[in-house]
Amino acid sequence: MTELFAEVRRTIELVAEIQTAATLSVVGLALMAFASAALYWAINRAGEAATWLKLTMAASLVSGVAFSIAGPAVALLSRTDTPIRTLPKDQIFAKLRTNERVTWLIRLIPYYPDKQPELAVSQLRTLGPSSLKYVFVGSYEEVKGRTVEQAIAMVGGAYHRDQRVSAVIFAVSGRYPIFPGNARGLLQVIKKIETDPASQVANKLIKEDALGKDAEESLLNEELSSWSFDFYKKYFWKFCSLTHKLRCGKAAFDVHQSISSINSDWHPAGAATMRQSDPCASAPRVCTFTTWDEITNDIYPDFGARVFLIENKPITDLSNRYLIDFENPSMQLIPEIGNVATARGG
């Protein structure tokens, strides 16, 4: 019975995602509601209902049932045509505000096979270049079912014709904590690097009193809830302004050599975007935002997917890893790897 309810719920969600199916279902429900109301009126009125009313009620009821059946049928046929279910943009964006827990991650590495053979998936030893301590990764669940080229754009990468793509998909594990790629998470990673004696950082980004005592202490909190926008929004302008300095003046800070590059596609709310404008060409307007509605208006049209920061781990250390070499990224899809909820590694 539980499985039946789960399947019904999934079908309803699928109908809601597909405009044609949703329209058919709404029309069907409206016709059945009209037929029911007319039937109720006919039963309670004095005398026998007119023939035209009976025919109208019958036609409305039959049409309503037909449309109601057609809606789920169209949705299910769509799922058959596209067997890998993709997450709608609205659902992905909703996860950004709360920084909902992620269970599987993906790293996509475009490369030219003749010029960069070391980036072929069979040659990879670590998630990123050995010089980096932390690298950006994306949420596998948010890009699966898209073409590899689309997925690269969603997580802030760039794909060029004639490139192949190495993909590493792996489960989140307590052995390698991850940080949301928002301004707060980025500063937490930077602080770890700059306070590590082995890093020998001379030119620091987070100097003494750069953020103020309360804001800097808040960086120590690594509970899941602390990465939601509502938790840190009172410090957002401080975190955003400091990371803006790093993005636009990399050479002044040693830490830029230890993390993946912070480019124009990165948004301090923790997402990759597909915008073309240079955020360093003008004052960081985004840092002045104080509400999620303001951030939504700024980022949603160009929103791609969430990004995260993770230690540059050896490939062999990753849990339940999948290594894939895509020869035709414009046509091949990020595959379904099974029930990710039950396959997660520890």
Side-chain angles (χ1 to χ4, degrees):
M1 186 63 70
T2 301
E3 285 296 322
L4 176 61
F5 286 138
E7 189 59 34
V8 169
R9 179 178 59 81
R10 284 193 289 268
T11 302
I12 293 173
E13 290 175 350
L14 190 62
V15 169
E17 291 172 12
I18 301 169
Q19 186 174 3
T20 302
T23 301
L24 289 172
S25 297
V26 169
V27 171
L29 291 173
L31 288 171
M32 286 194 293
F34 171 77
S36 299
L39 179 61
Y40 177 81
W41 178 80
I43 292 173
N44 288 280
R45 71 185 294 273
E48 185 177 354
T51 302
W52 69 267
L53 180 58
K54 294 178 181 178
L55 293 174
T56 301
M57 286 190 294
S60 297
L61 184 59
V62 171
S63 300
V65 171
F67 275 95
S68 297
I69 293 173
V74 168
L76 292 172
L77 284 173
S78 174
R79 182 165 66 177
T80 301
D81 293 338
T82 309
I84 304 176
R85 186 185 176 199
T86 58
L87 278 182
K89 181 177 179 178
D90 285 347
Q91 289 187 25
I92 300 175
F93 190 75
K95 296 173 183 289
L96 178 65
R97 177 174 184 170
T98 59
N99 261 299
E100 185 176 315
R101 186 185 299 277
V102 66
T103 55
W104 285 77
L105 299 168
I106 186 168
R107 172 86 169 162
L108 296 167
I109 307 169
Y111 72 99
Y112 291 102
D114 54 339
K115 300 177 183 178
Q116 301 167 301
E118 72 279 5
L119 296 181
V121 73
S122 60
Q123 302 300 313
L124 293 179
R125 297 293 176 263
T126 55
L127 279 171
S130 58
S131 60
L132 299 181
K133 295 183 182 295
Y134 284 83
V135 295
F136 278 117
V137 292
S139 165
Y140 159 74
E141 291 98 333
E142 293 175 14
V143 300
K144 73 173 182 177
R146 268 83 175 186
T147 67
V148 179
E149 183 177 2
Q150 290 172 335
I152 290 170
M154 288 177 68
V155 297
Y159 167 77
H160 302 286
R161 188 177 177 181
D162 297 329
Q163 285 186 317
R164 293 171 66 157
V165 176
S166 292
V168 184
I169 303 170
F170 58 101
V172 172
S173 169
R175 299 198 307 273
Y176 36 86
I178 62 173
F179 296 84
N182 55 38
R184 180 176 183 270
L186 177 57
L187 289 180
Q188 287 177 308
V189 166
I190 291 171
K191 190 173 180 64
K192 288 181 181 293
I193 296 172
E194 293 187 337
T195 56
D196 181 1
S199 298
Q200 297 182 337
V201 175
N203 301 309
K204 293 185 177 182
L205 175 69
I206 308 178
K207 298 180 174 63
E208 189 174 353
D209 296 328
L211 293 169
K213 182 179 178 181
D214 290 344
E216 188 159 346
E217 285 185 353
S218 78
L219 295 180
L220 301 177
N221 189 338
E222 295 182 7
E223 296 178 359
L224 182 64
S225 60
S226 73
W227 285 306
S228 70
F229 178 78
D230 290 340
F231 182 91
Y232 70 87
K233 63 182 178 182
K234 62 181 177 180
Y235 302 125
F236 178 70
W237 72 272
K238 289 186 176 183
F239 296 155
C240 178
S241 298
L242 196 55
T243 53
H244 184 77
K245 287 178 63 177
L246 175 64
R247 171 158 58 182
C248 300
K250 297 181 177 67
F253 309 104
D254 295 350
V255 74
H256 89 274
Q257 300 176 12
S258 299
I259 57 178
S260 291
S261 184
I262 313 298
N263 297 319
S264 59
D265 60 87
W266 176 75
H267 194 286
T273 67
M274 291 173 272
R275 60 180 45 168
Q276 303 298 319
S277 58
D278 181 4
C280 300
S282 59
R285 183 174 62 91
V286 64
C287 294
T288 65
F289 296 156
T290 58
T291 67
W292 188 251
D293 286 342
E294 290 177 304
I295 289 178
T296 299
N297 292 335
D298 179 68
I299 190 179
Y300 189 82
D302 305 308
F303 173 69
R306 293 186 294 166
V307 291
F308 303 85
L309 283 158
I310 183 174
E311 284 187 60
N312 188 20
K313 304 294 290 185
I315 301 296
T316 53
D317 285 359
L318 304 176
S319 294
N320 291 318
R321 58 191 178 274
Y322 295 77
L323 307 179
I324 307 172
D325 182 50
F326 291 103
E327 297 184 32
N328 190 358
S330 296
M331 299 297 295
Q332 293 172 295
L333 304 180
I334 302 296
E336 175 68 76
I337 59 175
N339 189 340
V340 296
T342 58
R344 180 185 174 190

